Amino acid sequence: MEAKKQSIMEEALALFAEKGYHQTSIQEIADRTGIAKGSVYSFFRSKEELMMTIFEHYHQQIYGALQHILQEPLPSREKLERLIMQSLDQFSRFKLFVSFQRKEVHLQQKKELRELILSYRAKKLYALRQVIAEVYGLEAQPYWLDLATTLNGVIAEFINYVAFDDKLLDYRKVAAYIIQVMDGAAERIMRDTPVPVLNEAMMDDIMRVGRTGFSKHQEQMWEAAAALKQAIEQSSTTAEIIHDEVRQAFSFLESEMLQGRGTSIQARSVTMFLQAQQQTTIKEAAGRLLELLLAERDRSSGG
């Protein structure tokens, strides 16, 4: 980003956090930056565009760092630890932005801003569900969303202490504590198997938004997986044992895809098993997904 544009954004954010968005003028932003008012308009057509750019920039900074951690070839529990520590560190560094966002919550009545914030909230939840799936595995699959939401809430409360109460916390110690809490929660619910609070159907709209930024081919794979899941749920087989096997097979496949292993031999083998089912809708949906998985494998390997 051009240095002058970055400077305008930083000074505008400081004024928005100090005085409020509506109480701050473009002239004040220009004066604080040390440039002519017209120079601000050469970068931003309006104060609203400037505000939207600030929101997008900082949300992308936060989400981009999260994605970087998830894509690193690290053990799953180390990813979780680093994700928590990164979240605490970022919100400490971006204190002005967090303060502005919370102080001016009424701005979220603007459709474009509301949709932008929803998009990044959804992406974060999707990413947290991914790391939860990696750490706690297929056995916890019915509770991935509940656990991801719990993780998000616990991190947020510690962020409040760091960002707003100026508490000097040992991030590694906080991460270790949060992971211990999540381990206890996961162990208890997998033992007691309560009815999940959140489920995939309820959260489908948010999960779809969370996948934005995927390549077109990746999005097609997830749409094909959703079609296969629907076909399985709507199948009318009378053999309950077979139906359970089919559902378990799909749960494994979904877990592999969520963890970025959708093109693995195991995932493809399970998809072939689903394609071999007698139900026409399942057979056809699995066949479509298998085509996409094979194409993604070839694309990734340069074939």
Side-chain angles (χ1 to χ4, degrees), residues 27-65:
Q27 184 63 62
E28 287 176 298
I29 295 169
D31 292 343
R32 180 75 72 93
T33 311
I35 60 176
K37 182 178 179 180
S39 295
V40 177
Y41 285 114
S42 69
F43 289 100
F44 306 98
R45 290 172 295 182
S46 65
K47 187 171 72 169
E48 182 171 331
E49 181 179 286
L50 171 55
M51 180 264 293
M52 287 290 295
T53 304
I54 288 171
F55 267 88
E56 188 164 6
H57 171 72
Y58 282 97
H59 277 296
Q60 183 55 48
Q61 290 284 309
I62 294 166
Y63 175 70

Side-chain angles (χ1 to χ4, degrees), residues 47 68 123 134:
K47 187 171 72 169
H68 178 73
K123 288 178 180 179
E134 290 189 30

Side-chain angles (χ1 to χ4, degrees), residues 76-93:
S76 58
R77 298 183 75 84
E78 185 175 341
K79 282 186 186 180
L80 178 55
E81 178 187 49
R82 290 188 58 183
L83 181 151
I84 296 168
M85 293 173 63
Q86 179 74 21
S87 296
L88 292 165
D89 179 61
Q90 280 189 324
F91 279 93
S92 177
R93 290 187 293 113

Side-chain angles (χ1 to χ4, degrees), residues 21-22 51 55 97-110 113-114 117:
Y21 171 74
H22 291 296
M51 180 264 293
F55 267 88
F97 172 68
V98 178
S99 177
F100 165 54
Q101 179 173 285
R102 295 193 178 185
K103 181 179 180 181
E104 301 284 349
V105 68
H106 64 278
L107 292 174
Q108 295 180 32
Q109 294 174 4
K110 297 177 181 293
L113 183 56
R114 187 169 63 250
I117 292 174

Side-chain angles (χ1 to χ4, degrees), residues 4-177:
K4 187 175 288 187
K5 183 176 182 179
Q6 179 72 37
S7 179
I8 293 170
M9 290 170 56
E10 289 174 357
E11 297 300 340
L13 175 59
L15 283 165
F16 291 162
E18 175 187 332
K19 298 183 60 178
Y21 171 74
H22 291 296
Q23 287 70 39
T24 300
S25 68
I26 290 291
Q27 184 63 62
E28 287 176 298
I29 295 169
D31 292 343
R32 180 75 72 93
T33 311
I35 60 176
K37 182 178 179 180
S39 295
V40 177
Y41 285 114
S42 69
F43 289 100
F44 306 98
R45 290 172 295 182
S46 65
K47 187 171 72 169
E48 182 171 331
E49 181 179 286
L50 171 55
M51 180 264 293
M52 287 290 295
T53 304
I54 288 171
F55 267 88
E56 188 164 6
H57 171 72
Y58 282 97
H59 277 296
Q60 183 55 48
Q61 290 284 309
I62 294 166
Y63 175 70
L66 181 69
Q67 281 297 100
H68 178 73
I69 291 172
L70 292 177
Q71 291 167 5
E72 287 191 81
L74 299 170
S76 58
R77 298 183 75 84
E78 185 175 341
K79 282 186 186 180
L80 178 55
E81 178 187 49
R82 290 188 58 183
L83 181 151
I84 296 168
M85 293 173 63
Q86 179 74 21
S87 296
L88 292 165
D89 179 61
Q90 280 189 324
F91 279 93
S92 177
R93 290 187 293 113
F94 299 154
K95 181 177 179 178
L96 269 181
F97 172 68
V98 178
S99 177
F100 165 54
Q101 179 173 285
R102 295 193 178 185
K103 181 179 180 181
E104 301 284 349
V105 68
H106 64 278
L107 292 174
Q108 295 180 32
Q109 294 174 4
K110 297 177 181 293
K111 182 175 182 293
E112 296 81 2
L113 183 56
R114 187 169 63 250
E115 291 178 350
L116 174 66
I117 292 174
L118 172 62
S119 171
Y120 282 104
R121 281 183 56 225
K123 288 178 180 179
K124 184 178 181 182
L125 180 61
Y126 192 94
L128 292 177
R129 187 182 72 156
Q130 177 181 333
V131 77
I132 286 292
E134 290 189 30
V135 172
Y136 299 111
L138 188 58
E139 186 180 357
Q141 192 272 340
Y143 308 102
W144 284 347
L145 284 168
D146 287 345
L147 289 169
T149 301
T150 300
L151 174 61
N152 193 29
V154 176
I155 293 174
E157 195 56 41
F158 278 100
I159 284 171
N160 286 337
Y161 294 135
V162 173
F164 299 108
D165 300 325
D166 296 320
K167 301 303 181 185
L168 298 176
L169 301 179
D170 182 327
Y171 295 167
R172 192 172 297 278
K173 185 181 292 185
V174 172
Y177 170 75

Side-chain angles (χ1 to χ4, degrees), residues 27 69 71 99 171 202 208 211 226 245 255-256 292:
Q27 184 63 62
I69 291 172
Q71 291 167 5
S99 177
Y171 295 167
M202 179 194 304
R208 284 179 178 273
R211 291 199 299 268
E245 289 179 351
S255 176
E256 289 293 287
L292 292 165

